[in-house]
Amino acid sequence: MPNIKIFSGSSHQDLSQKIADRLGLELGKVVTKKFSNQETCVEIGESVRGEDVYIVQSGCGEINDNLMELLIMINACKIASASRVTAVIPCFPYARQDKKDKVRDAVKISSRAPISAKLVANMLSVAGADHIITMDLHASQIQGFFDIPVDNLYAEPAVLKWIKENIAEWKNCTIVSPDAGGAKRVTSIADRLNVDFALIHKERKKANEVDRMVLVGDVKDRVAILVDDMADTCGTICHAADKLVSAGATKVYAILTHGIFSGPAISRINNACFEAVVVTNTIPQEDKMKQCPKIQVIDISMILAEAIRRTHNGESVSYLFSHVPL
């Protein structure tokens, strides 16, 4: 493909390399370093004048450093006369801070909570991004925070493919949402598999701490598949797994788009009753897989690569909402 350059930030170079390999391209040269006062310095090592530039940087690891690096890379390409700069952000940073109402110590505090996802959207636009490609936004309204095009891709087609290929009893399963907010996601998957769905209503006293759970639906003598967009400390999905087993589920799987796995997450998964915890590689998982044999990875590089190819060629990307490219 002529007039296209792909650059990788330092957050997930393995995914960037897979995307470039899929497209038959080489990653562009970038030199990233930090001054002694921890300021980030990025130098683009080749000409981008008149090029269609794609910068792959996921919101993981040292999130603030990686976000700043992405902004600097976008700006560096823009002022070097790139014709278009697209930020490919598999896991969008600060996506959970998408609205004002927060529950803290069982009291709703809304007047002074930030909407940080909107701030990140503004920063990306001001840096010079012309287009955003991301996957499974925590809240779809984040697309409306931008005044530039945003393609929010879905891991759902890859999830459906994994379920059919790896769970023998998938026709006798129940798709379960660990919270009410994910009901739309699980009903879509359940409809496409033609199986039942259930959800768990949870009450939080404060962030990252679940107080009480109530199962709505039937999982008795069935395989239960928990589906969510992200798992951080994994308290919710581990509590949910215990709830499903006590409700009579024969096996419990968890399928997550973004496996953040911070704090006590790995020890919780190791001690939980999961057959497998399946995540996509929007976030690097190699180190986590060494610590936890239950973690399995779905490669979504081909979806992002195809989105880049279609965007570059001016084709529709809506095909990817329901199909995994071969």
Side-chain angles (χ1 to χ4, degrees):
M1 293 190 292
N3 303 111
I4 181 172
K5 292 280 176 73
I6 297 181
F7 295 98
S8 174
S10 55
S11 66
H12 199 346
Q13 292 184 327
D14 178 58
L15 178 63
S16 305
Q17 189 62 59
K18 285 179 177 174
I19 291 170
D21 291 345
R22 171 87 180 185
L23 293 170
L25 301 169
E26 288 190 11
L27 287 175
K29 296 180 179 66
V30 182
V31 178
T32 306
K33 58 188 177 185
K34 283 193 176 178
F35 296 124
S36 59
N37 66 348
Q38 298 303 300
E39 280 185 6
T40 299
C41 176
V42 179
E43 292 178 17
I44 306 298
E46 56 192 77
S47 173
V48 294
R49 184 177 294 275
E51 301 279 358
D52 190 10
V53 173
Y54 295 83
I55 300 170
V56 183
Q57 181 82 306
S58 199
C60 57
E62 298 289 336
I63 288 181
N64 296 330
D65 283 353
N66 290 334
L67 176 58
M68 197 67 210
E69 181 183 289
L70 173 61
L71 296 170
I72 294 170
M73 288 178 74
I74 291 169
N75 192 247
C77 291
K78 198 66 180 176
I79 62 177
S81 301
S83 67
R84 178 173 63 173
V85 180
T86 299
V88 182
I89 312 172
C91 181
F92 193 86
Y94 291 90
R96 284 178 286 184
Q97 297 182 43
D98 62 300
K99 55 186 180 294
K100 268 198 164 189
D101 57 330
K102 296 273 183 186
V103 177
R104 198 169 298 139
D105 299 326
V107 179
K108 188 167 277 194
I109 310 286
S110 62
S111 61
R112 289 173 298 279
I115 307 177
S116 304
K118 168 64 173 167
L119 175 62
V120 171
N122 289 345
M123 290 161 69
L124 288 164
S125 297
V126 170
D130 299 297
H131 180 207
I132 305 292
I133 296 174
T134 187
M135 177 166 275
D136 274 4
L137 281 172
H138 185 65
S140 56
Q141 71 261 23
I142 292 172
Q143 292 173 84
F145 294 170
F146 288 88
D147 293 324
I148 57 176
V150 177
D151 284 319
N152 181 28
L153 305 174
Y154 301 101
E156 181 181 303
V159 167
L160 291 167
K161 186 169 181 275
W162 189 92
I163 290 172
K164 289 177 179 177
E165 291 177 354
N166 294 276
I167 301 178
E169 317 94 310
W170 69 267
K171 291 183 179 177
N172 183 39
C173 75
T174 300
I175 311 296
V176 185
S177 173
D179 56 29
K184 191 175 178 182
R185 186 180 300 108
V186 299
T187 51
S188 175
I189 292 174
D191 287 346
R192 292 187 62 182
L193 291 173
N194 196 26
V195 297
D196 290 340
F197 74 93
L199 64 84
I200 292 171
H201 173 66
K202 66 183 179 186
E203 295 174 0
R204 288 185 188 272
K205 280 190 174 176
K206 54 187 175 183
N208 289 340
E209 190 174 313
V210 176
D211 181 36
R212 194 170 70 94
M213 288 189 155
V214 179
L215 175 65
V216 181
D218 181 27
V219 295
K220 188 170 175 60
D221 299 325
R222 295 185 183 187
V223 173
I225 304 174
L226 279 161
V227 176
D228 206 355
D229 68 317
M230 66 171 60
D232 189 353
T233 56
C234 292
T236 299
I237 62 163
C238 290
H239 275 124
D242 293 339
K243 189 78 181 174
L244 293 168
V245 168
S246 65
T250 55
K251 292 179 182 176
V252 179
Y253 293 84
I255 302 181
L256 315 158
T257 305
H258 309 299
I260 300 170
F261 301 147
S262 64
I266 295 299
S267 62
R268 283 175 172 172
I269 293 171
N270 281 326
N271 295 327
C273 51
F274 292 112
E275 294 290 314
V277 175
V278 184
V279 294
T280 70
N281 59 341
T282 57
I283 293 173
Q285 300 294 345
E286 289 77 12
D287 293 341
K288 307 282 184 355
M289 291 171 75
K290 289 174 186 172
Q291 300 172 50
C292 179
K294 293 180 183 178
I295 296 175
Q296 298 182 31
V297 172
I298 300 172
D299 182 17
I300 47 84
S301 61
M302 75 287 287
I303 297 175
L304 294 169
E306 182 66 10
I308 290 171
R309 189 193 69 78
R310 285 171 176 259
T311 300
H312 177 67
N313 293 332
E315 301 172 22
S316 169
V317 299
S318 57
Y319 172 85
L320 298 174
F321 296 164
S322 54
H323 297 83
V324 178
L326 298 173

